[in-house]
Amino acid sequence: GAGVSQSPSNKVTEKGKDVELRCDPISGHTALYWYRQSLGQGLEFLIYFQGNSAPDKSGLPSDRFSAERTGGSVSTLTIQRTQQEDSAVYLCASSLGGSDERYFGAGTRLSVL
Amino acid sequence: GENVEQHPSTLSVQEGDSAVIKCTYSDSASNYFPWYKQELGKGPQLIIDIRSNVGEKKDQRIAVTLNKTAKHFSLHITETQPEDSAVYFCAATSGGSYIPTFGRGTSLIVHP
């Protein structure tokens, strides 16, 4: 596609349930990032994938959060046993390389009831 | 790690006025400073960036200045228009890192 695509655009779930958020990066982009944006806050880094290298998971807030990137393309962010404080917009971005311009998707708005 | 402070959190101006948003950073090794514009319901979009070997960069109505000694950088928008209304984020990236640290954002409102 022309840009970074994220799905779903909105997700409402109950506390304790697991959720999966999907990111389709721009074709050919080797770097992929996940960020969390809470109301009135900046963008909080979660995880970074670069090619076939081991991902940088230093931003994941707890072991309930995990992410994978299959075949160097599509990425899935999984949140297990969701909590109300997980409610936020989850943004995905991709870039040609780690030092290049990052292109963001529109995000997935997660609401945990 | 890097810490980025952004001010103001909200900025309201009249159409045609100038708007200035300021950011400070803590890591003197930071060498790349992008600015993003986020419109409602969309992801952030890069509007201008500056590297540490440059003091100022301009693109039409938008300019960014960098003071490495004081560790601060600013976004300047001249002749503001209603379509400039959005949330603006600054960011700083330390040398050797590919992960920018973002400020908390400034909500710019341009009144027609």
Side-chain angles (χ1 to χ4, degrees):
Chain A
V4 177
S5 178
Q6 292 188 244
S7 61
S9 54
N10 285 282
K11 177 70 177 178
V12 180
T13 190
E14 294 179 348
K15 178 181 172 182
K17 295 286 181 66
D18 297 351
V19 295
E20 283 190 353
L21 312 180
R22 177 186 169 105
C23 174
D24 279 280
I26 293 173
S27 178
H29 280 193
T30 63
L32 186 148
Y33 312 77
W34 282 99
Y35 284 88
R36 180 168 67 177
Q37 185 176 26
S38 302
L39 190 64
Q41 301 295 312
L43 279 68
E44 176 189 5
F45 165 72
L46 297 178
I47 189 168
Y48 162 58
F49 296 90
Q50 172 60 279
N52 295 321
S53 302
D56 181 339
K57 303 179 181 181
S58 60
L60 294 179
S62 78
D63 59 8
R64 297 187 295 104
F65 288 72
S66 63
E68 62 179 23
R69 188 178 185 192
T70 54
S73 181
V74 172
S75 178
T76 302
L77 176 69
T78 301
I79 309 173
Q80 295 179 309
R81 305 181 302 282
T82 53
Q83 304 294 313
Q84 288 184 333
E85 59 263 29
D86 299 335
S87 296
V89 175
Y90 289 82
L91 291 163
C92 174
S94 71
S95 61
L96 270 174
S99 59
D100 296 297
E101 178 180 350
R102 289 154 184 81
Y103 294 84
F104 282 84
T108 294
R109 180 175 297 278
L110 175 65
S111 299
V112 182
L113 305 179
Chain B
E2 177 64 276
N3 181 50
V4 176
E5 300 284 340
Q6 182 172 348
H7 300 281
S9 57
T10 304
L11 180 58
S12 183
V13 300
Q14 289 295 127
E15 181 177 1
D17 288 350
S18 295
V20 180
I21 302 170
K22 299 181 179 180
C23 289
T24 60
Y25 61 98
S26 60
D27 188 347
S28 57
S30 288
N31 59 6
Y32 176 61
F33 307 90
W35 284 89
Y36 289 84
K37 175 183 181 181
Q38 186 176 25
E39 297 176 333
L40 198 61
K42 298 183 179 180
Q45 181 179 12
L46 180 71
I47 55 171
I48 195 168
D49 57 11
I50 192 168
R51 297 189 183 271
S52 60
N53 58 345
V54 175
E56 183 175 359
K57 184 176 179 181
K58 191 173 182 179
D59 182 4
Q60 299 182 358
R61 296 186 297 108
I62 295 173
V64 57
T65 59
L66 171 64
N67 183 327
K68 288 177 57 181
T69 303
K71 289 189 282 188
H72 68 69
F73 56 112
S74 301
L75 177 71
H76 304 253
I77 306 175
T78 59
E79 301 171 26
T80 53
Q81 301 168 4
E83 52 264 38
D84 294 330
S85 297
V87 178
Y88 291 80
F89 292 95
C90 64
T93 308
S94 294
S97 171
Y98 295 126
I99 302 166
T101 300
F102 285 82
R104 290 195 169 193
T106 296
S107 177
L108 174 64
I109 302 167
V110 181
H111 298 281

